[in-house]
Amino acid sequence: EGQLVESGGGLVQPGGSLRLSCAASGFTFSGNVMSWVRQAPGKGLEWVSVIKTAGGSTSYADSVKGRFTISRDNAKNTLYLQMNSLKPEDTAVYYCAKVAEYYSGTYYYDLWGQGTQVTVSS
């Protein structure tokens, strides 16, 4: 069925940077579309970014566009999220997730990691 394990979260000051990683195992990582999703305290899940398989086509939520970069290393079965110019409103638990399907403008997932906490505060 597979496993996703995130790492790289932590406490960072506003304007700082973090790089999240997500190690995948138990499935064909290179053949799957992958996403980052976050959940801020007291709020629902928010889609952050997606990366396709071959060619690595990407897409971002407006709230992170120009600041975050999603990438993947299929040889290492690892997904990344480079986060720059971080803001307090980026504080959330960040999850990587394997996309099962895309329907009517919404991604649906069939595998989630455990999440990694990102806190942006001075």
Side-chain angles (χ1 to χ4, degrees):
E1 181 173 293
Q3 185 177 23
L4 298 170
V5 179
E6 301 96 336
S7 61
L11 173 65
V12 63
Q13 292 187 343
S17 298
L18 280 176
R19 188 196 197 199
L20 306 183
S21 298
C22 172
S25 61
F27 65 97
T28 306
F29 177 75
S30 61
N32 281 274
V33 178
M34 300 295 297
S35 267
W36 288 97
V37 180
R38 68 185 181 184
Q39 186 167 29
K43 297 189 176 181
L45 293 171
E46 178 189 16
W47 170 77
V48 173
S49 183
V50 68
I51 185 166
K52 304 297 177 63
T53 53
S57 174
T58 61
S59 185
Y60 299 91
D62 288 344
S63 58
V64 306
K65 198 172 296 183
R67 300 187 298 120
F68 290 12
T69 302
I70 190 172
S71 62
R72 64 193 298 162
D73 186 335
N74 288 336
K76 295 183 178 180
N77 290 342
T78 303
L79 178 72
Y80 302 100
L81 186 68
Q82 177 67 44
M83 305 185 295
N84 299 328
S85 302
L86 282 160
K87 305 175 182 180
E89 52 263 44
D90 294 317
T91 295
V93 177
Y94 284 73
Y95 300 92
C96 66
K98 181 164 73 73
V99 175
E101 64 178 319
Y102 178 72
Y103 181 75
S104 294
T106 300
Y107 288 100
Y108 296 87
Y109 308 100
D110 58 4
L111 184 64
W112 294 79
Q114 84 288 353
T116 186
Q117 176 70 48
V118 171
T119 302
V120 184
S121 175
S122 54

